[in-house]
């Protein structure tokens, strides 16, 4: 029997070797640190990788469920599957986190803060999720001041392969995932598709009120052609269509609102040309993202329809050169962003702008134990202030104690106004990007223990204000600094003699406050995640995991004055089981909230009760 190990435990940057029991795993490579493929060890950044195996074993249905167990990240939901999802990285909101799918940007410029809509991202067909925590604008530009989440779909294997999976579970949830791929020396072709539908439960509490269903269709196509050993072309296409029923908190029927619903249609396409020589590589990329969302609701003034549309076109050239002691990267980018919003027949709001950028990254090995990473980037915008950002990072491995590593990063980052904010500025306001200065310090001993302290300060944050006389509102830059500081502790250990793997992480936020010194809402002060997995000799796996959420404040949405309410201090337990039924056929069962805990992650909204989901998968 071989004990699965690191692939089932979230892998973090300080790991030096990937050996457990009698197994040595393949090195983990990432592409999110400097836009080129590199070992997870060859960066000073805080990087976490969630693998496809971990997603399968834990039964994560959505990307938000998967990242919710990572140290430093918390997620809140306004209901069940498909309902509005908010996520926070080291206390910063989702607009400060760049989300990529196979390198294509998913941040929607027509959203309030330019966030990616994680509620529509299911985990089917995902090979790996890379998470960089800490400012990364010096490589990725805007929307990366708190980090980057890079989602990579499955890659084709040599020959013809495929799989078909069927899912069924609580709330009449059903779905199917399918993929078919072929690759040889010249051609790579892959089609991935998934379908998910659920009757769901009421978005607004109580859970037992009128059901709010959800339907998700996802198509992913990849095609690659190797012109010769040095020249390759790659085409990627992804489309997500959703239909969601929800409860409008301003509707007369509240939790029994059976009218409010929404549709979304998001497509991303990318074409890459890759040139590879002995020590030099160049990637020329053109991509386009189209986002279209419609929200339908009814209220005192009658039916309403809110339309959000945006388009993002991007062109990039990435040059990478490997030299004796390191790697240098020179990148050029051009982006064209266009956003649109209209409520019923009211005047439309629209904005568009362009972004040109150049950046230089260098990774240098002083010796086999010490790594220096430096980045410098300049962004030019057509509609607001230009920005220069940089990063310097250092990582050292000690000979005196094998497995002991320390690292430190200092960085500057920024977040440009979203197209929506730019189209809806406060009277007399000219928006400029918010600016972040931050650092993190980490130390760790093998996988056993890793500690990270982070500290970020944000200037010129963008927020919505309302004139107290005219009641006319809009977005403007806020004076002062918002502060984020905290501690992350991670641990993993394999008990080889008992076929057990234990992992846990804990996050404490010291600061998560606004410019006026008051705490930001929906951030948990303390979060603890823990899991234990047991493997049998005949390929069975039993697992149990838990999440504790400490003090967390929200508002009750009252008008004209809202009151603070607590949504924290609870623990949720889940259980997992998987086995191989026959050759090429796997079965997995996932029980969630097994003690049927009543809790809310967003005030007033319902959460999932005790539930169970099953999946049967055939692969060839």
């Amino acid at each position: 029997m071989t004990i699965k190990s690191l692939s089932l435990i979230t892998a973090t940057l300080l790991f030096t070797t990937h050996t457990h029991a009698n197994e040595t795993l393949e090195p983990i490579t990432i592409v999110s640190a400097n836009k080129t493929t590199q070992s997870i060890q060859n960066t000073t950044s805080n990087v976490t990788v969630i693998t496809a195996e971990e997603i399968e074993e834990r039964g994560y249905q959505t990307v938000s469920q998967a990242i919710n167990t990572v140290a430093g990240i918390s997620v809140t939901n306004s209901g069940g599957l498909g309902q509005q999802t908010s996520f926070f990285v080291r206390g910063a909101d989702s607009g400060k986190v760049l989300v990529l799918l196979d390198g294509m940007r998913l941040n929607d410029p027509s959203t309030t803060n330019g966030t990616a809509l994680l509620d529509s991202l299911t985990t089917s067909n995902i090979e790996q999720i890379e998470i960089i925590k800490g400012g990364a604008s010096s490589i990725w530009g805007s929307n990366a001041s708190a980090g980057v989440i890079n989602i990579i779909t499955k890659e084709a294997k040599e020959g013809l392969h495929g799989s078909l999976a069927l899912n069924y579970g609580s709330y009449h949830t059903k779905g199917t995932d399918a993929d078919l791929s072929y690759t040889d020396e010249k051609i790579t072709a892959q089609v991935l598709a998934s379908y998910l539908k659920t009757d769901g439960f009421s978005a607004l509490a109580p859970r037992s009120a009128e059901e709010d269903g959800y339907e998700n269709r996802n198509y992913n196509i990849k095609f690659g052609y190797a012109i010769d050993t040095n020249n390759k072309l790659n085409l990627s296409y992804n489309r997500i269509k959703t239909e969601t029923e929800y409860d409008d908190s301003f509707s007369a029927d509240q939790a029994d609102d059976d009218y409010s619903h929404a549709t979304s249609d998001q497509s991303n396409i990318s074409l890459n040309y890759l040139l590879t020589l002995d020590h030099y590589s160049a990637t020329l990329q053109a991509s386009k993202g189209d986002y279209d969302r419609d929200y339908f609701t009814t209220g005192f003034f009658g039916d309403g329809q809110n339309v959000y549309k945006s388009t993002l076109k991007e062109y990039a050239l990435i040059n990478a050169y490997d030299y004796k002691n390191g790697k240098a990267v020179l990148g050029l980018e051009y982006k064209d962003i266009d956003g649109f919003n209209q409520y019923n027949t009211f005047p439309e709001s629209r904005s568009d702008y362009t972004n040109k950028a150049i950046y230089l990254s260098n990774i240098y090995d002083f010796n086999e134990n010490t790594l220096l990473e430096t980045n410098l980037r300049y962004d030019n915008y057509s509609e607001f202030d230009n920005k220069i950002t940089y990063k310097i990072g250092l990582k050292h491995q000690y000979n005196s104690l094998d497995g002991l590593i320390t690292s430190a990063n200092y960085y500057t980052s920024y977040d440009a106004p979203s197209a929506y904010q730019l189209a809806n500025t406060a009277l007399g306001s000219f928006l400029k990007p918010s600016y972040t200065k931050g650092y993190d310090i980490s130390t760790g001993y093998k996988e056993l223990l890793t500690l990270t302290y982070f500290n970020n300060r944000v200037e010129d944050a963008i927020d919505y204000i309302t004139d107290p006389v005219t009641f006319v509102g809009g977005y403007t830059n806020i004076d002062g600094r918002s502060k984020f500081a905290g501690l992350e502790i991670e641990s993993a250990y394999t008990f080889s003699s008992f076929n057990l793997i234990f992992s846990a992480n804990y996050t404490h936020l010291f600061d998560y406050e606004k410019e006026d010194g008051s705490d930001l809402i929906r951030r948990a002060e303390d979060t603890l995640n823990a899991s234990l997995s047991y493997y049998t000799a005949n390929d069975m796996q039993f697992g149990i995991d838990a999440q504790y959420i400490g003090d967390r404040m929200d508002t009750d949405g009252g008008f004209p004055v809202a009151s603070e309410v607590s949504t924290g201090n609870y623990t949720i337990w889940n259980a997992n089981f998987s086995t191989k039924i026959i050759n090429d056929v796997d079965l997995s069962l996932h029980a969630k909230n097994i003690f049927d805990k009543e809790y809310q992650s967003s005030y007033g909204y319902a959460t999932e009760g005790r539930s169970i989901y099953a999946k049967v998968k055939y692969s060839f």
Side-chain angles (χ1 to χ4, degrees):
M1 181 192 68
T2 300
I3 298 177
K4 298 179 181 180
S5 54
L6 191 61
S7 62
L8 305 180
I9 302 171
T10 303
T12 56
L13 85 160
L14 293 180
F15 292 175
T16 54
T17 59
H18 303 270
T19 304
H20 287 272
N22 299 318
E23 181 184 14
T24 300
L25 298 173
E26 293 295 322
I28 295 177
T29 59
I30 58 172
V31 296
S32 47
N34 66 357
K35 296 190 179 181
T36 66
T37 302
Q38 63 186 113
S39 164
I40 191 174
Q41 299 173 49
N42 289 336
T43 177
T44 63
S45 296
N46 279 243
V47 183
T48 299
V49 175
I50 302 173
T51 66
E53 287 182 284
E54 184 176 2
I55 290 170
E56 290 280 347
E57 287 203 351
R58 299 283 183 86
Y60 300 135
Q61 297 166 298
T62 64
V63 170
S64 61
Q65 291 174 1
I67 67 170
N68 190 33
T69 60
V70 174
I73 297 181
S74 63
V75 176
T76 61
N77 301 100
S78 299
L81 282 174
Q83 302 298 328
Q84 183 179 355
T85 299
S86 300
F87 65 101
F88 307 94
V89 176
R90 293 182 171 174
D93 68 70
S94 56
K96 298 175 177 59
V97 181
L98 178 65
V99 179
L100 306 158
L101 178 71
D102 292 331
M104 301 179 288
R105 290 174 181 258
L106 298 186
N107 290 63
D108 183 345
S110 69
T111 59
T112 302
N113 61 352
T115 184
L117 298 171
L118 287 195
D119 29 291
S120 63
L121 289 175
T122 58
T123 52
S124 57
N125 305 319
I126 289 179
E127 180 63 31
Q128 180 169 298
I129 302 174
E130 303 170 1
I131 301 165
I132 292 183
K133 290 175 286 186
S137 290
S138 57
I139 289 292
W140 293 97
S142 181
N143 298 117
S145 65
V148 177
I149 297 174
N150 188 19
I151 303 162
I152 299 172
T153 56
K154 293 180 179 175
E155 298 290 340
K157 300 175 184 176
E158 187 73 24
L160 180 64
H161 294 276
S163 70
L164 176 64
L166 301 175
N167 311 284
Y168 191 80
S170 301
Y171 308 108
H172 297 104
T173 302
K174 53 190 175 185
T176 182
D177 310 327
D179 68 85
L180 186 65
S181 66
Y182 172 80
T183 186
D184 59 20
E185 293 181 354
K186 280 288 187 182
I187 294 175
T188 298
Q190 187 170 22
V191 178
L192 312 159
S194 68
Y195 174 76
L196 175 67
K197 185 177 182 180
T198 180
D199 288 348
F201 51 86
S202 177
L204 278 173
R207 181 192 305 145
S208 57
E210 173 264 346
E211 295 173 340
D212 289 305
Y214 174 65
E215 191 169 358
N216 181 302
R217 292 180 173 86
N218 180 205
Y219 317 94
N220 185 286
I221 298 172
K222 291 182 180 179
F223 180 79
Y225 179 70
I227 302 170
D228 53 39
T229 55
N230 301 114
N231 296 273
K232 294 181 180 178
L233 287 171
N234 293 298
L235 175 69
S236 297
Y237 174 76
N238 190 75
R239 186 173 186 181
I240 306 171
K241 297 183 70 174
T242 68
E243 296 179 20
T244 310
E245 298 171 347
Y246 67 99
D247 293 326
D248 189 330
S249 60
F250 295 100
S251 70
D253 294 328
Q254 291 289 288
D256 288 319
D257 173 10
D258 62 356
Y259 176 78
S260 296
H261 59 284
T263 61
S264 72
D265 189 351
Q266 171 180 327
S267 64
N268 298 82
I269 187 168
S270 171
L271 178 63
N272 290 344
Y273 163 68
L274 174 63
L275 168 66
T276 306
L277 301 176
D278 288 342
H279 299 287
Y280 171 77
S281 67
T283 303
L284 183 61
Q285 174 177 310
S287 64
K288 181 183 179 185
D290 285 302
Y291 309 86
D292 187 348
R293 296 175 290 127
D294 292 76
Y295 296 84
F296 304 86
T297 189
T298 187
F300 182 78
F301 297 103
D303 293 348
Q305 179 182 2
N306 227 328
V307 179
Y308 300 85
K309 294 182 180 180
S310 62
T311 302
L312 192 157
K313 300 175 185 174
E314 182 173 8
Y315 309 92
L317 173 62
I318 304 168
N319 302 274
Y321 179 72
D322 290 292
Y323 57 97
K324 182 180 179 181
N325 289 335
K327 184 180 199 179
V329 179
L330 172 65
L332 303 169
E333 290 180 4
Y334 176 83
K335 292 197 237 2
D336 189 338
I337 299 108
D338 188 356
F340 167 88
N341 168 237
Q342 186 174 32
Y343 178 72
N344 286 351
T345 56
F346 283 67
E348 64 183 51
S349 59
R350 177 188 290 274
S351 71
D352 60 87
Y353 58 91
T354 60
N355 171 210
K356 304 170 187 173
I358 181 171
Y359 65 89
L360 179 64
S361 173
N362 188 55
I363 297 172
Y364 182 76
D365 292 306
F366 283 107
N367 50 54
E368 62 180 10
N369 293 331
T370 305
L371 178 70
L372 174 68
E373 184 173 354
T374 52
N375 304 326
L376 178 65
R377 176 176 170 122
Y378 172 71
D379 281 273
N380 173 276
Y381 284 95
S382 61
E383 296 298 316
F384 37 80
D385 291 351
N386 306 325
K387 281 296 177 187
I388 294 176
T389 52
Y390 61 90
K391 170 195 165 181
I392 181 167
L394 190 66
K395 186 162 74 173
H396 183 72
Q397 179 175 327
Y398 297 86
N399 286 329
S400 56
L401 181 59
D402 184 33
L404 178 64
I405 296 181
T406 57
S407 70
N409 297 283
Y410 181 83
Y411 45 80
T412 62
S413 283
Y414 76 98
D415 295 291
S418 71
Y420 182 85
Q421 290 169 332
L422 205 60
N424 297 279
T425 57
L427 186 63
S429 179
F430 297 93
L431 290 180
K432 55 184 178 182
S434 61
Y435 194 64
T436 299
K437 298 178 182 177
Y439 64 90
D440 55 50
I441 302 171
S442 299
T443 185
Y445 178 67
K446 297 184 177 178
E447 300 89 2
L448 188 62
L449 184 65
T450 302
L451 295 92
T452 301
Y453 173 78
F454 61 87
N455 191 308
N456 296 315
R457 298 287 185 267
V458 182
E459 299 175 352
D460 299 321
I462 301 170
D463 206 351
Y464 190 87
I465 61 170
T466 303
D467 187 299
V469 177
T470 64
F471 295 104
V472 176
Y475 289 92
T476 190
N477 293 102
I478 305 297
D479 293 333
R481 293 179 178 176
S482 50
K483 302 174 183 177
F484 305 91
L487 179 69
E488 298 165 2
I489 303 173
E490 299 171 76
S491 179
Y493 190 75
T494 300
F495 299 91
S496 303
S497 302
F498 303 98
N499 303 332
L500 288 169
I501 297 177
F502 169 77
S503 66
N505 63 67
Y506 167 73
T507 304
H508 177 75
L509 293 179
F510 298 111
D511 292 324
Y512 48 107
E513 62 183 46
K514 295 190 285 188
E515 295 76 8
D516 62 3
S518 60
D519 286 344
L520 289 156
I521 63 170
R522 295 188 178 178
R523 281 78 165 171
E525 188 169 318
D526 297 282
T527 304
L528 174 65
N529 294 289
S531 71
L532 184 67
S533 296
Y534 170 67
Y535 300 86
T536 70
N538 54 352
D539 288 329
M540 286 187 181
Q541 177 263 335
F542 300 84
I544 188 163
D545 60 78
Q547 181 179 62
Y548 167 74
I549 298 294
D551 292 340
R552 182 175 61 195
M553 303 306 295
D554 205 337
T555 71
D556 64 359
F559 183 83
V561 179
S563 300
E564 282 196 344
V565 291
S566 173
T567 60
N569 291 305
Y570 60 83
T571 303
I572 302 300
W573 294 84
N574 308 303
N576 306 294
F577 167 76
S578 60
T579 186
K580 185 177 290 297
I581 302 175
I582 56 175
N583 286 340
D584 304 325
V585 179
D586 298 302
L587 167 70
S588 59
L589 299 171
H590 307 285
K592 298 186 177 182
N593 193 5
I594 55 180
F595 296 114
D596 204 24
K597 180 73 176 180
E598 289 280 352
Y599 70 101
Q600 295 182 356
S601 63
S602 299
Y603 180 75
Y605 288 90
T607 50
E608 187 173 24
R610 182 187 296 118
S611 51
I612 187 165
Y613 301 90
K615 180 176 182 178
V616 177
K617 184 176 182 180
Y618 166 67
S619 306
F620 67 91

